[in-house]
Amino acid sequence: MSKIIVDEQYLEIIEGTNLLQACLENNIYIPNLCYLKERKEKNASCRLCFVEIEGMPKPVTSCTLDVEDGMVVRTDTPAVRRLQRTAFQLLMSVHEVDCAHCPANKKCELQKIARFLKLGLKPKGLDHSLRELETDHDHPFLEYFPHRCVLCGKCIYVCKKRNGRPYLTFAGRGLDTQISFFGDKDPLKLPCAECLACTLICPVAAIIAKTDT
Amino acid sequence: MLKLKNREALNNFRNNILSKHQEKDKKLISLCAGSGCGAYGTEKVYQTLTEELAKHNLQDEVEIKLTGCHGFCEKGPIMVIHPEGIFYPQVKETHIPNIVEKTIKNGEIDKSLAFKDHITKKKIFHEEDIPFYKLQQRIIFGNNGMIDPTSIKDYISVDGYTALDKVLFEMTPDEIIDEIRKSGLRGRGGGGFPTAVKWDSCRKHEGERYVICNADEGDPGAYMDRSLLEGNPHSILEGMLIAARAIGSNQGYIYVRHEYPLAVKNIETAINQAREIGLLGKNILHSDFDFDIHISRGGGAFVCGESTALMASLEGNPGRPRAKYVHTVEKGFRQSPSLLNNVETWTNVPVIINKGADWYSRIGTEKSKGTKIFSLVGKVVNTGLVEVPMGTSLRTIIFDIGGGIPKKKEFKAVQTGGPSGGCIPKEFLDLGVDFDELAKVGSIMGSGGMIVMDQDTCMVDVARYFLDFLKEESCGQCNPCREGIKQMLAILTDICKGNGKEGDIELLEEIGGMLQKFSLCGLGTSAPNPVLSTIRYFREEYEAHIRDKKCPAGVCKPLFHYEIDPKACKGCQACAKKCPEKAITGEKKKTHILDRQKCIKCGICYDICKFNAIIIR
Ligand SMILES: Cc1cc2nc3c(=O)[nH]c(=O)nc-3n(C[C@H](O)[C@H](O)[C@H](O)COP(=O)(O)O)c2cc1C
Ligand code: SF4
Ligand code: SF4
Ligand code: SF4
Ligand code: FES
């Protein structure tokens, strides 16, 4: 067991546990969107789960660290909170906020983070505009909503894990990045109807079953 | 060519080449065939020169060498006649008969073709006396002008592969790494990471180790790596061979930018020659050491130069960076320990082994050793590639080597490090350029790009310009960089259009600060540099845009207009003649009038007026 201190709380954690996981399991919330416990190689792309650790010069992503004995962690410094707020507002600057008509309403990870950071869902003072994207809507079983997607990549991972290969991928670069379906769209060749793993893992409702639209 | 079986064979081979050089004692014409000079017409000059020499039956007495870049590309095509070192810039086919008649046959200098110094207006005849070269210390770049990059014999004749010989037969891997450590060499790809530390940690990880050369050079204004690839490719191979020996690797890759056809060609030729002669491949010089190098042509995205993105791209995957909590020296290319260094870093390695760490570490500053090649461009008289010891002041580089600012304008700032570098104002002109000093003033060494800006540059517009570039280069996987650059660009664009608001500067600082700390890779963490550095040093210029709706430099069109200063105007009509909109009228020797309604702010009158009578308001 490793003894660590998080926000002045003494915790005993199994050595080598993921730090973000350890905090979440002990009811210390750290905003996160791309973390998946079972994924070994964290992609650490949502850039929200920062914490400060004694002895480290800069804030670090907690999802990429393992617990080490004697670690002194702060999840709630004013500096980190401020950076998280800015980052979250940027994320929301391209989000189509329409909770009333959104299947994720009330179980949405973004709503949770907003509440936690004491922010509204609509960013203040930033240019709020949806990205101009061409999105493929031909998939026989799934519908994708790019203006809800936070590009966390969880759907790709679970799809690959479940089916041995991914039927989803990141497409486009930079501002045009989105999730796209790839491969044969012949319904008979797709495992999606029985799978729907992506729709279950999505922290927002950016991928849903066509039957739910 | 025969395979060199052992170190004696390499030595004999070298002695053989050298003795031939000496016995002929010929004149040597070195003609630059780098990309820069090539574009100005080296090919034609070369043809005419060959023909002309044949006409005078001199083809056996004079050797022509097509070399790589000499650095002074602006003055291309460049010709240097050895052994005297007579320098002719901007050589044209029509100059050739004179050069052959006067200089080659009679040993005279054709003064009309000689280089004219911009400041003293004096003609300078020898390469070594030209200020642009005189203040440089070309330990890496020097051989570029002396050797034919497509000839392995040329490289061997200038002590090429002696460092390899030394590490194979006289040094242990520990000793090699120790020598590099003592030299103080730091990576030239931007970060300045201590090279020996990287080698050492790569060596400690088990697996099939790879040695990789980063020749992506994504900064649009910098081309020192291209010049080394084109002009001295064997020195890169030798550096990689030495590292491979030190860390125990048998396979190397060069990831080279697709848009560099000549670089690819020359490095390919070099690899083939080295293989043929037995300096790459199995059992090199009978030392039981195997190493081979392959070329991979990168797609050309800026972010592909980032280490993890480069390795992903090398594997055939999209060039996206990954979080580096596991380092590439442990798990990089193909999940194996991978050692990545920049082109220029590699070329430093043989120099260190040959001349020794003691010699090398005497060059430079306490924490940044050796020289650095800078790509000097922008509002400066002499543009080109400049190699100087670390710690050389910006003033020396820009004013002494670069010849200062053209058209008697004032220096305003210099941006170092490529598109995500910071802008440094004139207060810091005496700053000795090295990794740490640049960081202290909010900029980076980066690629070694150096863009000089004069008084007519708007710093808000500069920040906007670089972010516009970076916006297209963000890979898009992480939110801070993807959305942060876009938002900062939107704010800057507004400010430049006159729609800036109170609070915009603070918002830029807020978003920029977040990018620096939260972005996943170096592109995002460095992207705010142009914005934050210009706010830090030119805040009043931002405020003028936002509060007074004025662009003091006269760049942002909605925020200024031109006027004629009646006290300064001599009524010369120069501006009136050139104005495309006929917005300026006036009789000779009488003060002219500028019609603001007609003026499209093209700036032609501003540039043309010799009396500074056109003013920005
Ligand atoms: C966005 C980005 C672009 C980069 N581009 C290059 C490049 O074009 N060439 C290069 O050598 N290093 C580049 N780097 C730095 C590399 O990631 C890496 O640090 C370097 O190649 C290591 O070699 P060095 O230790 O010899 O400097 C880039 C880094 C970032 C973040
Ligand atoms: S994803 Fe969340 S924040 Fe977005 S509309 Fe749906 S419920 Fe609202
Ligand atoms: S669709 Fe959902 S799971 Fe997939 S990347 Fe977007 S937000 Fe993440
Ligand atoms: S910082 Fe920019 S370039 Fe780097 S991973 Fe994030 S989005 Fe991609
Ligand atoms: S959860 Fe750590 S970066 Fe997304």
Side-chain angles (χ1 to χ4, degrees):
Chain A
M1 291 301 249
S2 308
K3 291 186 181 128
I4 65 168
I5 307 175
V6 182
D7 300 340
E8 281 152 23
Q9 235 174 291
Y10 288 82
L11 302 176
E12 289 213 359
I13 311 282
I14 301 171
E15 179 108 33
T17 308
N18 181 283
L19 176 61
L20 174 59
Q21 186 69 34
C23 291
L24 295 175
E25 280 170 9
N26 285 282
N27 288 323
I28 300 166
Y29 182 67
I30 302 170
N32 70 88
L33 284 169
C34 70
Y35 172 72
L36 267 181
K37 184 179 177 184
E38 64 271 25
R39 173 158 57 188
K40 240 179 55 220
E41 280 162 18
K42 310 299 175 205
N43 74 347
S45 65
C46 79
R47 318 305 294 166
L48 287 171
C49 67
F50 281 85
V51 296
E52 288 192 41
I53 296 184
E54 231 177 67
M56 295 197 188
K58 286 185 293 198
V60 281
T61 46
S62 56
C63 70
T64 54
L65 283 177
D66 289 343
V67 164
E68 277 172 41
D69 200 39
M71 244 180 190
V72 181
V73 183
R74 289 227 69 116
T75 71
D76 59 353
T77 63
V80 164
R81 283 290 178 260
R82 186 164 176 174
L83 293 162
Q84 281 169 330
R85 287 197 179 99
T86 310
F88 182 73
Q89 287 189 293
L90 281 172
L91 188 63
M92 298 310 285
S93 74
V94 287
H95 190 84
E96 188 168 31
V97 184
D98 184 13
C99 304
H101 298 101
C102 178
N105 198 4
K106 303 224 163 76
K107 36 185 208 287
C108 167
E109 210 52 46
L110 296 173
Q111 291 175 329
K112 181 172 175 183
I113 297 173
R115 219 177 309 122
F116 180 78
L117 293 175
K118 303 191 179 69
L119 288 170
L121 284 167
K122 293 193 178 156
K124 289 206 189 85
L126 294 178
D127 171 49
H128 186 269
S129 57
L130 301 183
R131 302 183 294 152
E132 282 167 30
L133 293 168
E134 276 179 35
T135 305
D136 174 4
H137 297 287
D138 302 340
H139 196 279
F141 305 110
L142 301 168
E143 188 56 67
Y144 174 63
F145 296 85
H147 304 308
R148 284 183 197 148
C149 176
V150 295
L151 297 168
C152 68
K154 284 178 179 172
C155 50
I156 300 173
Y157 175 80
V158 293
C159 179
K160 183 172 173 194
K161 195 162 174 213
R162 184 76 168 258
N163 302 301
R165 55 156 280 201
Y167 289 83
L168 299 167
T169 181
F170 282 119
R173 321 182 38 241
L175 295 170
D176 298 331
T177 311
Q178 61 177 324
I179 296 293
S180 112
F181 308 111
F182 78 108
D184 204 326
K185 296 232 179 68
D186 179 352
L188 297 172
K189 291 191 184 148
L190 284 170
C192 305
E194 281 78 49
C195 173
L196 297 180
C198 56
T199 66
L200 300 174
I201 202 81
C202 183
V204 288
I207 282 193
I208 58 176
K210 271 229 155 88
T211 49
D212 292 339
T213 51
Chain B
M1 244 182 275
L2 220 60
K3 255 202 170 62
L4 302 173
K5 292 226 169 61
N6 48 40
R7 66 185 305 204
E8 286 72 36
L10 172 61
N11 250 323
N12 293 339
F13 187 63
R14 175 176 302 109
N15 290 337
N16 208 355
I17 301 167
L18 288 173
S19 65
K20 273 189 197 144
H21 271 221
Q22 277 155 6
E23 90 198 15
K24 284 197 180 157
D25 190 28
K26 308 184 189 178
K27 261 206 174 9
L28 172 71
I29 304 178
S30 134
L31 186 61
C32 179
S35 282
C37 285
Y40 289 123
T42 299
E43 184 72 33
K44 276 191 188 153
V45 171
Y46 176 70
Q47 264 179 20
T48 320
L49 183 62
T50 322
E51 286 162 19
E52 193 68 22
L53 286 176
K55 239 193 255 168
H56 290 83
N57 225 346
L58 286 168
Q59 66 273 25
D60 293 328
E61 276 156 65
V62 182
E63 188 184 346
I64 314 174
K65 197 156 272 185
L66 286 175
T67 71
C69 176
H70 295 220
F72 209 178
C73 310
E74 184 205 349
K75 294 275 183 281
I78 284 170
M79 179 188 283
V80 185
I81 299 167
H82 298 285
E84 301 89 341
I86 297 166
F87 182 87
Y88 289 130
Q90 293 170 313
V91 179
K92 294 198 181 67
E93 305 115 88
T94 49
H95 300 155
I96 298 300
N98 256 344
I99 293 177
V100 170
E101 185 64 39
K102 283 197 184 160
T103 314
I104 304 293
K105 283 180 83 176
N106 302 330
E108 293 162 14
I109 292 165
D110 185 333
K111 294 185 180 157
S112 67
L113 298 179
F115 173 79
K116 186 169 150 196
D117 187 72
H118 169 82
I119 297 167
T120 59
K121 309 279 182 225
K122 283 208 180 103
K123 294 271 183 172
I124 302 176
F125 308 125
H126 295 100
E127 187 178 27
E128 58 189 21
D129 297 327
I130 295 172
F132 180 79
Y133 289 112
K134 209 166 151 181
L135 294 159
Q136 296 192 44
Q137 187 175 358
R138 303 194 140 202
I139 65 171
I140 301 303
F141 209 39
N143 279 336
N144 260 37
M146 298 306 294
I147 61 174
D148 171 355
T150 62
S151 156
I152 192 169
K153 285 187 182 168
D154 266 23
Y155 182 64
I156 289 177
S157 77
V158 293
D159 283 344
Y161 292 112
T162 48
L164 174 67
D165 175 294
K166 194 165 165 187
V167 302
L168 288 182
F169 301 105
E170 292 166 27
M171 293 171 89
T172 63
D174 278 319
E175 285 168 345
I176 303 171
I177 293 180
D178 242 31
E179 196 69 11
I180 301 296
R181 179 177 297 114
K182 277 191 276 172
S183 77
L185 178 65
R186 293 169 69 175
R188 304 298 197 241
F193 193 80
T195 305
V197 173
K198 206 193 260 184
W199 292 21
D200 204 29
S201 56
C202 188
R203 180 166 67 134
K204 292 197 173 118
H205 291 291
E206 286 307 320
E208 170 85 52
R209 298 185 198 90
Y210 292 98
V211 169
I212 306 171
C213 170
N214 190 341
D216 191 52
E217 197 158 61
D219 168 2
Y223 55 102
M224 54 290 271
D225 292 349
R226 185 186 77 191
S227 291
L228 290 168
L229 290 155
E230 285 179 5
N232 197 353
H234 284 287
S235 65
I236 302 165
L237 305 187
E238 193 176 4
M240 293 174 73
L241 274 155
I242 292 167
R245 175 64 164 189
I247 69 161
S249 158
N250 308 116
Q251 283 193 68
Y253 282 86
I254 298 178
Y255 184 86
V256 55
R257 198 173 183 71
H258 186 71
E259 293 96 324
Y260 282 0
L262 184 60
V264 174
K265 194 170 143 225
N266 286 1
I267 197 92
E268 237 161 30
T269 308
I271 290 175
N272 288 333
Q273 289 173 340
R275 273 187 200 142
E276 216 176 291
I277 206 170
L279 292 172
L280 279 177
K282 294 240 176 284
N283 198 10
I284 294 167
L285 299 178
H286 211 72
S287 64
D288 251 351
F289 165 57
D290 306 338
F291 187 65
D292 207 350
I293 298 177
H294 305 275
I295 295 178
S296 170
R297 298 177 73 160
F302 180 60
V303 75
C304 284
E306 193 276 340
S307 55
T308 56
L310 182 146
M311 291 180 199
S313 174
L314 209 51
E315 291 165 358
N317 295 319
R320 275 197 209 97
R322 66 160 175 79
K324 268 192 279 201
Y325 57 99
V326 180
H327 295 293
T328 51
V329 287
E330 183 182 344
K331 275 188 187 171
F333 180 52
R334 298 184 179 149
Q335 298 292 310
S336 288
S338 306
L339 173 63
L340 176 75
N341 279 123
N342 160 267
V343 168
E344 194 180 330
T345 314
W346 288 125
T347 55
N348 272 272
V349 171
V351 176
I352 292 168
I353 299 295
N354 275 332
K355 303 216 170 165
D358 285 340
W359 175 87
Y360 186 89
S361 62
R362 265 179 254 137
I363 306 168
T365 60
E366 193 196 331
K367 291 201 176 130
S368 305
K369 297 296 184 191
T371 60
K372 175 78 192 91
I373 308 176
F374 293 100
S375 161
L376 189 63
V377 297
K379 297 293 166 61
V380 60
V381 173
N382 304 322
T383 61
L385 296 178
V386 172
E387 182 182 349
V388 288
M390 293 273 189
T392 303
S393 75
L394 284 169
R395 192 184 299 282
T396 303
I397 298 173
I398 297 165
F399 288 89
D400 301 333
I401 298 173
I405 316 299
K407 299 185 190 160
K408 300 204 173 83
K409 303 245 169 164
E410 288 272 312
F411 168 87
K412 184 161 181 182
V414 56
Q415 198 223 21
T416 68
S420 54
C423 295
I424 304 172
K426 66 168 179 287
E427 296 96 279
F428 297 111
L429 268 176
D430 290 310
L431 179 106
V433 182
D434 72 7
F435 289 107
D436 311 290
E437 291 301 307
L438 287 175
K440 274 188 214 157
V441 297
S443 190
I444 51 173
M445 181 73 84
S447 56
M450 232 181 227
I451 305 176
V452 181
M453 303 171 190
D454 70 5
Q455 64 192 66
D456 294 335
T457 316
C458 166
M459 300 316 284
V460 186
D461 182 62
V462 161
R464 187 200 57 74
Y465 174 84
F466 286 116
L467 282 215
D468 198 38
F469 171 86
L470 291 166
K471 184 189 75 170
E472 301 298 323
E473 300 303 326
S474 163
C475 84
Q477 78 177 309
C478 78
N479 161 60
C481 168
R482 183 182 66 239
E483 306 305 337
I485 294 178
K486 187 185 112 184
Q487 287 288 344
M488 287 196 288
L489 178 62
I491 299 167
L492 289 165
T493 308
D494 270 352
I495 298 177
C496 290
K497 281 187 182 152
N499 300 327
K501 303 179 292 295
E502 283 300 320
D504 276 354
I505 300 177
E506 291 71 19
L507 190 53
L508 285 171
E509 287 175 322
E510 182 85 38
I511 299 174
M514 194 275 293
L515 254 75
Q516 287 181 324
K517 294 216 168 57
F518 270 22
S519 300
L520 189 149
C521 87
L523 191 146
T525 56
S526 61
N529 285 334
V531 186
L532 298 179
S533 64
T534 48
I535 293 180
R536 179 162 158 192
Y537 300 120
F538 301 94
R539 201 181 184 100
E540 67 293 342
E541 205 163 328
Y542 277 83
E543 284 164 353
H545 280 70
I546 296 169
R547 289 191 197 139
D548 316 332
K549 307 289 171 207
K550 285 284 167 213
C551 174
V555 173
C556 302
K557 286 194 178 172
L559 299 183
F560 76 98
H561 64 261
Y562 288 116
E563 273 175 16
I564 294 180
D565 177 359
K567 286 197 213 90
C569 179
K570 302 259 187 275
C572 72
Q573 291 190 322
C575 56
K577 279 186 202 133
K578 284 280 152 74
C579 176
E581 299 299 308
K582 307 214 178 327
I584 302 175
T585 47
E587 284 173 38
K588 231 184 166 114
K589 297 198 175 156
K590 290 208 175 120
T591 301
H592 288 16
I593 294 161
L594 189 152
D595 182 348
R596 277 174 60 188
Q597 243 60 52
K598 285 191 186 158
C599 174
I600 55 163
K601 300 177 192 171
C602 67
I604 291 176
C605 55
Y606 179 78
D607 289 337
I608 218 166
C609 180
K610 286 193 195 121
F611 311 101
N612 292 331
I614 309 279
I615 47 179
I616 294 163
R617 274 285 147 78

